[in-house]
């Protein structure tokens, strides 16, 4: 069987919340051994952010935590405790990569900077992914995904246009964007090490990767002083384009017509052949009127049927799939995108598989997210030769544990 | 001596649109020799051309035979045309892979290479709508709203970039390339935060749009000179309440996270009032002191003038016929990056001679 690209790579994963764990999820999908390290006193908050009411050990039964931490191992170690730090530094020589998304000052405060890590493994790769990086006058800002989206320029480009209000994306967009880039940073650093034998410190600022997502807006601003114009769902290049209501509660379809052929096809489907001779300029200037005619048709349509009708007529159209309907989308089902993995504490549910479909190596989800500390004994035993008495001693000192200390909400 | 991590890596982009162009520009910045075959101006606006094609070579007049020779001389082929388009000009990915097992072929399409929608036409907004994020974006009483820019394409391009360098590392270690099938829909569908797994694992149904306010302590508000935001986890709520400085917040109904959800309108009113008379700079200055996650809605112009980004050397200057453009540079510092330059067009023969000579030298 063909090997996955990161088989043989071991990652010590200090990341928490969504951005960092999204990065290490990708690394795990690509075959890396990812060891997720949490402290008894500072565990990944996602474990307890949305606790299921009345469930035992809620930190081990979060579907939210699960979907972004599959295929990882869990080691509990308090890095703020001298003994915990010492054990961590004993693990570093066994690892290729250390990755963290703490606030900019935290790793240094733990006395675990790149220079310290290099003393125990010279070619170690450290990827840090603070919101604003570890240098620069804004490095001490605290950044979560929605903050990153605001501070990286993307929120300024989103809006209906008639109310002057910028909008946040409906997910904490900065997080996965930073995570995808960080996974690329790990691969580039591994390539660099393979070619030169040298390690690397990557100081990723999530805000900078976010700004990269709207690069053309910086061209407009720097060349012509133009700032973003909110166009709602319309295009600055063609018409009509919009998101239109369908039959049913909160059901919508996006329609996007690029040229005269697509327009004639749409006009025919919606019974607006009286407008079919409109060229691009006229469609742009009479967009409101055209929208009314499109809405008059879509309102009578089931969104799936409308999409299929328009696709058959070669008009670009897409249902606005909501977080529920997307799990029943015939195309994603046919592609096997949703996978049900067994979990020891929860009934199976549909989880997304890897968006990086290597056709030949064919990455598959292997295992649910680890229970808290599930692999502590295995990792400390196999990598450091520790026995049950050593681990019991760590437990007694509070360096490791089988459950978070004082878990609350978030 | 330090070298660019992708020095000597040859990348062929075939008639690329935004997504392949985005992946290719990152590969070029990290040192790859990226050649664009075909006319990208058919798909891209002039601003997108500056952002996405700077730093790449342009190949004109390539015949199908030339393209095939170039693809087989390349390490990586990037393509974002409809499934089957490469095959129709003799560049079927599986065939190329058989001839050159080290080759990495990356296909970025709205819905992937197979499945009932694989051949459907799509644009950024239709592909993004089918990925789930659009349903969650916008005001609850209005139509869903697409995020600005071309996020379906940019996300596809970013995923393609990171997947490609991962595959290239795999090739260095294990000796073989692969064919990577990136679907724009799947790139979004796998990042629905808590909302995707929430709807999949429980009977709550679809998550509603929440506009700019997920909760009172998690949203964007008008401030004295624009818009600013706050995003508090539970551990940051006490510090934010201290700033709000209202004795009513001492009451249990506000302190307890479960009861607080019932008081969201009352709390929102306080937060609106607090933001209203402060500037973005005043709000941001409170972040490091209080460790409350504050943000401000910055425009590209704000960011071009931003001191922190200047200190970190984020932007690259690119010469264009209309003057010098400044565009996002390295996505992260630590591995070497080079600022893009404009290249003159060249013919396929010249590029082939170049790539063949490199291979002989190697």
């Amino acid at each position: 069987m063909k090997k996955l690209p990161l088989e043989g790579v071991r990652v010590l994963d200090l990341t928490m919340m969504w951005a960092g764990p999204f990065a290490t999820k990708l690394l795990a999908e690509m075959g890396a051994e990812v060891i997720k390290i949490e402290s008894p006193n500072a565990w990944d908050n996602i474990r307890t952010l949305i606790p299921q009411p009345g469930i035992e050990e809620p930190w081990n039964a979060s579907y939210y935590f699960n979907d972004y931490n599959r295929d990882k191992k869990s080691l509990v170690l308090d890095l703020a405790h001298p003994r915990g730090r010492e054990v961590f530094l004993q693990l570093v020589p066994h690892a290729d990569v250390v990755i963290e998304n703490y606030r900019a000052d935290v790793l240094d405060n733990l006395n675990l900077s790149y220079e310290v890590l290099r003393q125990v493994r010279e070619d170690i790769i450290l990827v840090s992914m603070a919101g604003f990086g570890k240098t620069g006058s804004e490095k001490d800002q605290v950044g979560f995904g929605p903050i990153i989206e605001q501070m990286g320029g993307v929120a300024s480009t989103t809006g209906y246009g008639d109310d002057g209000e910028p909008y946040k994306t409906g997910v904490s967009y900065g997080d996965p964007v930073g995570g995808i880039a960080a996974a690329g940073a790990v691969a580039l650093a591994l390539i660099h090490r393979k070619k030169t034998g040298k390690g690397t410190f990557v100081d990723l600022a999530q805000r900078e990767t976010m700004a990269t997502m709207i690069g053309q807006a910086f061209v407009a601003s720097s060349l012509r002083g133009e700032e973003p114009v909110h166009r709602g769902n319309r295009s600055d290049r063609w018409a009509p384009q919009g998101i239109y209501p369908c039959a049913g509660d909160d059901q919508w379809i996006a329609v996007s017509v690029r040229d005269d052929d697509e327009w004639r096809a749409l006009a025919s489907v919606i019974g607006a052949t009286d407008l079919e001779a409109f060229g691009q300029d006229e469609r742009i200037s009479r967009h409101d009127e055209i929208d009314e005619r499109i809405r008059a048709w879509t309102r009578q349509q089931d969104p799936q049927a409308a999409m299929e009708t328009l696709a058959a007529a070669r008009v670009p159209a897409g249902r606005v799939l909501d977080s529920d309907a997307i799990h029943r989308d015939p195309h994603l089902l046919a592609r096997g995108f949703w996978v049900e993995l067994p979990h020891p504490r929860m009934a199976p549910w549909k989880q997304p598989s890897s968006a990086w479909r290597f056709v030949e190596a064919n990455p598959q989800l292997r295992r649910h997210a680890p229970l808290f500390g599930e692999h502590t004994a295995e990792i400390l035993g196999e990598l450091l030769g520790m026995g049950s008495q050593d681990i019991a001693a760590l437990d007694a000192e509070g360096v490791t544990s089988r459950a978070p200390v004082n878990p609350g909400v978030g | 001596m330090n070298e660019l991590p992708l020095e000597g890596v040859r990348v062929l982009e075939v008639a690329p649109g935004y997504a392949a162009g985005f992946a290719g520009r990152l590969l070029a910045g990290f040192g790859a020799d990226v050649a664009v075959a075909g006319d990208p101006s058919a798909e891209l606006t002039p601003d997108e051309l500056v952002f996405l094609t700077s730093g790449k070579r342009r190949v004109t007049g390539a015949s199908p035979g030339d393209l095939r020779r170039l693809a087989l001389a390349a390490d990586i082929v990037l393509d974002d045309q409809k499934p089957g388009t490469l095959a129709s000009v003799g560049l079927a990915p599986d065939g190329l892979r058989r001839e050159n097992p080290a080759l990495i072929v990356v296909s970025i399409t709205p819905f992937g290479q197979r499945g009932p929608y694989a051949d459907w036409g799509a644009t950024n907004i239709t592909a993004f709508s089918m990925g789930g994020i659009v349903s969650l974006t916008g005001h609850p009483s209005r139509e869903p709203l697409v995020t600005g820019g071309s996020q379906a394409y940019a996300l596809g391009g970013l995923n393609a970039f990171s997947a490609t360098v991962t595959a290239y590392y795999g090739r260095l270690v294990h000796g073989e390339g692969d064919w990577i099938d990136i679907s724009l829909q799947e790139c979004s569908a796998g990042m629905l935060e808590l909302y995707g797994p929430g709807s999949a694992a429980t009977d709550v149904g679809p998550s509603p749009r929440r506009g700019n306010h997920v909760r009172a302590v998690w949203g964007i508000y008008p401030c004295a000179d624009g818009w600013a935001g706050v995003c508090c986890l539970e551990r940051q709520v006490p510090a934010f309440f201290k700033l709000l400085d209202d004795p009513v917040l001492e009451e249990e109904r506000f302190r307890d996270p479960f009861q607080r959800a019932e008081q969201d309108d009352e709390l929102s009113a306080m937060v609106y009032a607090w933001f209203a008379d402060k500037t973005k700079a005043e709000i941001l200055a409170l972040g490091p002191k209080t460790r409350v996650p504050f943000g401000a809605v910055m425009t590209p112009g704000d960011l071009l003038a931003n001191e922190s980004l200047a200190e970190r050397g984020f932007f690259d200057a690119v010469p264009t016929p209309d003057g010098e453009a400044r565009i996002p540079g390295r996505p992260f510092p630590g591995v070497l990056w080079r600022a893009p330059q404009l290249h003159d067009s060249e013919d396929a023969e010249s590029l082939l001679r170049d790539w063949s000579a490199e291979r002989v030298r190697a």
Side-chain angles (χ1 to χ4, degrees), chain B residues 294-311:
Chain B
F294 284 120
V297 176
M298 295 192 175
T299 66
D302 294 336
L303 293 174
L304 286 165
N306 180 270
E307 196 182 321
S308 198
L309 290 173
E311 287 161 355

Side-chain angles (χ1 to χ4, degrees), chain B residues 91-116:
Chain B
L91 298 176
D94 44 2
L96 293 174
R97 290 266 315 115
R98 271 194 299 276
E99 283 192 61
N100 178 8
L103 182 68
I104 296 162
V105 183
V106 187
S107 301
I108 316 164
T109 53
F111 308 110
Q113 295 296 308
R114 56 174 183 80

Side-chain angles (χ1 to χ4, degrees), chain A residues 152-208:
Chain A
V154 173
S156 80
T157 69
T158 307
Y160 289 102
D162 53 8
D163 56 5
E165 186 165 355
Y167 272 82
K168 70 182 285 294
T169 298
V171 296
S172 297
Y173 193 51
D175 287 318
V177 167
I180 298 161
V186 168
L188 273 174
L190 286 166
I191 291 167
H192 177 72
R193 191 186 71 174
K194 181 80 185 158
K195 288 181 170 179
T196 66
K198 290 179 183 162
T200 304
F201 167 44
V202 172
D203 173 23
L204 183 147
Q206 295 176 39
R207 173 249 216 123
E208 291 168 0

Side-chain angles (χ1 to χ4, degrees), chain B residues 307-340:
Chain B
E307 196 182 321
S308 198
L309 290 173
E311 287 161 355
R312 288 175 55 81
F314 175 58
F315 289 105
D316 286 343
V318 187
T320 81
D322 302 318
E324 188 178 82
R326 294 177 65 220
I327 61 175
R330 80 291 177 286
F332 37 78
V335 272
L336 277 190
W337 167 272
R338 61 181 175 194

Side-chain angles (χ1 to χ4, degrees), chain B residues 85 87 141 245 285 319 323 338 359:
Chain B
T85 308
S141 69
D245 193 26
R338 61 181 175 194
R359 179 156 284 178

Side-chain angles (χ1 to χ4, degrees), chain B residues 1-360:
Chain B
M1 205 176 83
N2 282 334
E3 68 170 40
L4 292 152
L6 300 181
E7 184 88 50
V9 176
R10 296 175 298 257
V11 180
L12 179 68
E13 279 182 28
V14 186
Y18 195 111
F22 190 100
R25 85 170 284 274
L26 294 173
L27 298 173
F30 286 114
D33 183 2
V34 180
V36 179
D39 181 10
S41 65
E43 289 283 325
L44 302 175
T45 67
D47 289 349
E48 289 169 345
L49 280 170
V50 171
F51 173 49
L52 297 172
T53 63
S54 302
K56 300 174 183 174
R57 301 161 84 163
R58 290 278 305 280
V59 187
T60 53
S63 67
D66 292 335
L67 274 183
R68 189 172 165 71
R69 284 193 291 279
L70 285 169
L72 288 170
D75 300 290
I76 295 162
V77 173
L78 284 178
D79 168 53
D80 60 8
Q81 304 168 95
K82 269 192 170 184
T85 308
L86 280 186
S88 71
V89 292
L91 298 176
D94 44 2
L96 293 174
R97 290 266 315 115
R98 271 194 299 276
E99 283 192 61
N100 178 8
L103 182 68
I104 296 162
V105 183
V106 187
S107 301
I108 316 164
T109 53
F111 308 110
Q113 295 296 308
R114 56 174 183 80
Y117 307 164
D119 293 329
W120 288 9
T123 67
N124 178 73
I125 192 173
T126 65
F128 209 44
S129 292
M130 291 175 71
I133 293 174
V134 176
S135 78
L136 299 162
T137 305
H139 196 277
S141 69
R142 300 187 66 167
E143 70 273 23
L145 182 63
V146 72
T147 303
S150 293
Q151 295 309 313
Y153 296 149
L155 262 183
L158 184 66
N159 272 288
F161 159 72
S162 291
T164 301
V165 288
T166 301
Y168 189 74
Y169 176 72
R171 164 179 146 167
L172 289 178
V173 176
H174 308 305
E176 265 204 276
D178 208 321
W179 180 19
I180 307 175
D181 171 18
I182 299 277
S183 145
L184 303 184
Q185 182 188 27
E186 290 177 354
C187 289
S188 299
M191 48 178 268
L192 297 180
E193 206 170 6
L194 66 163
Y195 310 109
S199 292
T202 72
D203 56 4
V204 296
S207 288
R209 283 183 294 292
R210 293 192 170 88
N212 276 329
H213 301 111
V214 176
R215 294 184 293 280
V217 298
W218 191 278
I220 295 177
Y221 293 88
C223 67
D225 59 350
W227 300 82
V230 64
C231 290
C232 285
L233 290 178
E234 199 49 42
R235 65 174 182 262
Q236 289 133 352
V237 167
F240 185 47
F241 277 12
K242 204 168 169 186
L243 292 171
L244 293 178
D245 193 26
D246 189 322
V248 75
L249 296 173
E250 296 295 324
E251 293 174 16
E252 187 61 15
R253 65 192 178 100
F254 285 107
R255 300 210 82 86
D256 177 77
F258 293 104
Q259 294 182 54
R260 191 188 311 131
E262 304 299 315
Q263 329 295 325
D264 211 56
D265 288 347
E266 193 179 342
L267 184 54
S268 285
M270 284 183 234
V271 180
Y272 266 103
W274 186 85
F275 272 92
D277 64 356
K278 293 173 188 64
T279 65
K280 292 193 263 190
E282 288 167 348
I283 292 161
L284 288 178
L286 292 168
K289 287 181 203 162
T290 61
R291 292 188 177 165
V292 174
F294 284 120
V297 176
M298 295 192 175
T299 66
D302 294 336
L303 293 174
L304 286 165
N306 180 270
E307 196 182 321
S308 198
L309 290 173
E311 287 161 355
R312 288 175 55 81
F314 175 58
F315 289 105
D316 286 343
V318 187
T320 81
D322 302 318
E324 188 178 82
R326 294 177 65 220
I327 61 175
R330 80 291 177 286
F332 37 78
V335 272
L336 277 190
W337 167 272
R338 61 181 175 194
Q341 297 299 314
L342 296 181
H343 289 275
D344 292 332
S345 297
E346 58 189 311
D347 60 30
E349 276 307 315
S350 139
L351 180 62
L352 271 169
R353 274 197 304 275
D354 208 2
W355 279 5
S356 311
E358 272 180 34
R359 179 156 284 178
V360 170

Side-chain angles (χ1 to χ4, degrees), chain A residues 82-98:
Chain A
R83 180 73 181 121
R85 178 178 173 277
E86 186 186 356
V87 172
F88 176 73
L89 286 174
Q90 288 169 0
L91 287 169
V92 171
H94 298 276
D96 302 284
V97 178
V98 175

